Amino acid sequence: FSKNATAIAGTILGYIIFSIPFFVLMSGFDDLSVSNKYLACLSAPTALGFGIMIIVRWEGTYLGLTFSNIGSRPTVFDNFTISDVMLMLFVDIIIYSFMTW
């Protein structure tokens, strides 16, 4: 980008576009298969949103998220853990690094 304002506008627009899958899938989060959640988490803002949803569920159980339960599900109905989200964020780092290289 040649101007700061253009770069800022492009960044904000890109973040909004990459956040769309989260807002679309948020209402049906419990009905999604694990593979669909992994696929959706290829977008970093979507992975972040899923991670926040899982943290909120852990806080709702009054246990909270700790290192001892990082690979566990907050409820028996959940099929996605915070460690899955962290794995996908790491994959996102690798993918985005290759895209910018």
Side-chain angles (χ1 to χ4, degrees), residues 55-99:
I55 291 170
V56 166
R57 288 183 181 188
W58 270 110
E59 293 299 322
T61 63
Y62 298 106
L63 295 173
L65 184 63
T66 62
F67 284 109
S68 63
N69 60 8
I70 204 165
S72 303
R73 299 181 219 155
T75 64
V76 293
F77 302 108
D78 287 325
N79 58 0
F80 211 57
T81 65
I82 198 70
S83 61
D84 295 329
V85 172
M86 292 170 63
L87 171 70
M88 289 309 296
L89 285 171
F90 182 72
V91 169
D92 288 341
I93 289 170
I94 293 170
I95 291 171
Y96 294 157
S97 296
F98 280 118
M99 287 173 58

Side-chain angles (χ1 to χ4, degrees), residues 15 18-58 65 74 78-86 88-89 92:
Y15 187 81
F18 282 116
S19 296
I20 289 173
F22 171 72
F23 293 113
V24 170
L25 300 173
M26 182 175 56
S27 62
F29 182 76
D30 294 329
D31 300 328
L32 288 175
S33 67
V34 175
S35 59
N36 286 339
K37 289 178 184 177
Y38 275 120
L39 185 63
C41 282
L42 287 175
S43 168
T46 302
L48 181 66
F50 284 173
I52 291 170
M53 285 178 61
I54 293 170
I55 291 170
V56 166
R57 288 183 181 188
W58 270 110
L65 184 63
D78 287 325
N79 58 0
F80 211 57
T81 65
I82 198 70
S83 61
D84 295 329
V85 172
M86 292 170 63
M88 289 309 296
L89 285 171
D92 288 341

Side-chain angles (χ1 to χ4, degrees), residues 5-19:
T6 307
I8 292 170
T11 302
I12 293 171
L13 182 65
Y15 187 81
I16 291 170
I17 288 171
F18 282 116
S19 296

